[in-house]
Amino acid sequence: MRRTRPARMALVAALTLLTPLVLDGQVVAAGQPLLTLANPGFELGSTGWTFTPGTGVASNIPHGGTKLVYLDAGAGRKVSQTVTAAAPGTYDFSAWIATGGPGARFVVRVNGVTVGAVALPSRPTYARHTVSRVELRAGDRLEAAFESGDGWVNADDLMISPGAPADPVVTSSDPKAVEMFDWAKRKANSWVQLPGTVGPLNVDERYPSGSGTAVYGPSYWAGYAHRSAFYSRDMVHQLGGAAVLGLHEENKSMLRAFAASSTVKHKYFPVWAVNFDDETYLSIDYRNPHSYVREVPAPFELVEKADEAYRWSGDPAYLDDPVLWDFYRHTTEEFIALHDARKPNGVAEGTGDGIFAGAASYNEVGEERLAESGDAIASQYRAYLAMAALAESKGDSTLAADSAEKAADLKEYFNTTWSGTGSGGAMVRGYTVDGQALTGWGKENSWFMPMKQLIDPGARNDAYLDYVDQQASGDGKPTNIEAISYLPDTFFAHDRNDTAWKWMNYVYDQRNVQHPVSRQGPNGDYPEVSYTLVDQTVKGLLGLAPDAPNRRITTQSRLPAGMDWLKIDQLEIGGQTFALRHDGSTKSTLTNYGSAPYTWEARFPGQRSSVTVDGTAWPIRTTVVNGTTYTYADIAVQPGRTVTVEVG
């Protein structure tokens, strides 16, 4: 039999309560229903579903809304729905499921043939399971089914996501790298909203049914899975992984939503969270224009990531859209001036009065009352660099030069004055509202400084990286996995490949561990986890930096010890497709499957004695980037060509 009511009710506080994000099963894109699943959250009881004996609808522990479906233990029990696809498409099907034993399945069939099935483990609290990339033709008969096993099954909140535009494939001498990337790309895509879906607004742990409905725009989950919104901090950290999956419209729409909220009445702070309609502010984090969650690093990271999105997509809207462009300008100019009163030094400040009054740091834990923080000043530095790059692309050389100069000046000020004279744990990582300099471990306001490459290269930077790894490996380890997901980025930024790979493995290996926020489910169901692992494979291990507007790609191998080779195929940049392979740190191969030539800057660490391109000797050139010398070759890779660069 299914779990008794008292035992199940004891778990209410531990479960996410989220209203289904597909209203009455209507999944609509561009005004037309592409796929209709009736009653995916079981709020209409049994409507639309077929039940065998030993199954039914209950209301004691829903995942979202007020109802769920259950299957008693034992073979042969099934809850299913069959519908006809109105148009072709590729979809992911996800559901929140809890089980009292192994053996159950979540199954998708097309025309009676099983095209995907998830074997459900024994897990008494809800976790999210997905059948990925189901291809449908118009007229196909789709069946979604929950099938029983050795224990009870509770299921709720079926969600349909459009298949990602890109489906890159990783192969490697290290099977863990392949397994990790494949899991991460599937999990990441399962969080994408289908534009046109009608869903609730302002869903949170207090109001599980939200406050009305709206049509959702291009977006993906970035933040807690029990809230109907995406968060600025999460979104910027997920943007690179989303770009790898071709989610360019989602990135642009979400960035624009935050940019539009950066208004005079908000003193050019963007809001913290936006509902999936890409317009309204999530009510739990927004009370009024004077009381809403905001943290100083976020606007700067949004500018930095807008430039990154532009480099991946080549979309001219990042230069031409006045909402975006005004946001970049306001953030790197007026915003700083408006938030630099307590310690006037050109560094944006927080109030020290909590997140609803404007916090200086992403680290919300503790009572330090920071006015300036390491993560804020580091993010401000990267925003200046992004503004310089965007202005250069727009043809505004004066603004580009001015922004680059501001970045250089801020970095000099940080290294000569702001950060003090100490090394390692003795380096300053923030200032309180009364002017006290803070040292020691500050989590985000510690590791952001090397992650953003704000610390001058050399012994002091090396000592601080050692300190970050030491603290994060010991008592200073964050309890939330999404914070730890920054550590691979920190160490890849300084070619500490083995350490970065260690932290990627840690994040991946913790995916089935319960998240400290019980409503969230396991760590792997925090969206940031999957998106960052996708990004860290491409930007980190493969060292790939795209520049689609200029048809350029820069690469460098960052393979850790023991990984002999790594390859990605079907990688899309600026509408073209590429393959990239690194063999150790001395040989790289790029294939251009597209229709236009790309310039490839193939970098290799160190001063090398020889360079060959397809076996032919090539001029030896070197460059210094962030204190490291690289040997490189610039090659025009024509459409249809495969080029191999090797150094000796």
Side-chain angles (χ1 to χ4, degrees), residues 39-45 49 57 67-69 79 146 155-157:
N39 190 24
F42 306 101
E43 297 305 290
L44 302 178
W49 295 88
V57 176
K67 296 178 182 178
L68 70 148
V69 68
V79 176
F146 305 101
D156 202 356
D157 292 343

Side-chain angles (χ1 to χ4, degrees), residues 6 17 131 150 435 632:
L17 298 177
V131 175
D150 298 337
Y632 73 95

Side-chain angles (χ1 to χ4, degrees), residues 155 239 279 384 525 563 570:
L239 180 143
E279 293 181 5
Y384 281 145
D525 282 339
M563 189 180 296
Q570 301 304 311

Side-chain angles (χ1 to χ4, degrees), residues 269-305:
F269 257 116
V271 299
W272 192 234
V274 178
N275 280 296
F276 291 123
D277 63 352
D278 292 352
E279 293 181 5
T280 57
Y281 311 153
L282 185 69
S283 59
I284 193 173
D285 294 305
Y286 189 90
R287 300 165 181 165
N288 59 59
H290 308 290
S291 180
Y292 62 98
V293 178
R294 53 203 190 272
E295 298 175 3
V296 175
F300 295 128
E301 284 212 287
L302 287 164
V303 175
E304 176 191 358
K305 294 301 181 172

Side-chain angles (χ1 to χ4, degrees), residues 49 79 92-97 103-109 114 116-120 128-132 143-148 153 155 158-159:
W49 295 88
V79 176
D92 287 2
F93 297 86
S94 302
W96 289 90
I97 305 172
R105 299 199 309 164
F106 174 41
V107 184
V108 174
R109 297 182 177 90
T114 298
V118 179
L120 301 171
R128 199 162 184 268
H129 301 277
T130 301
V131 175
S132 299
E143 179 192 24
F146 305 101
E147 298 179 348
S148 61
V153 176
L158 188 69
M159 175 179 167

Side-chain angles (χ1 to χ4, degrees), residues 563-578:
M563 189 180 296
D564 296 331
W565 62 271
L566 179 68
K567 180 182 179 181
I568 191 166
D569 210 336
Q570 301 304 311
L571 178 67
E572 293 188 8
I573 300 170
Q576 294 199 182
T577 306
F578 299 86

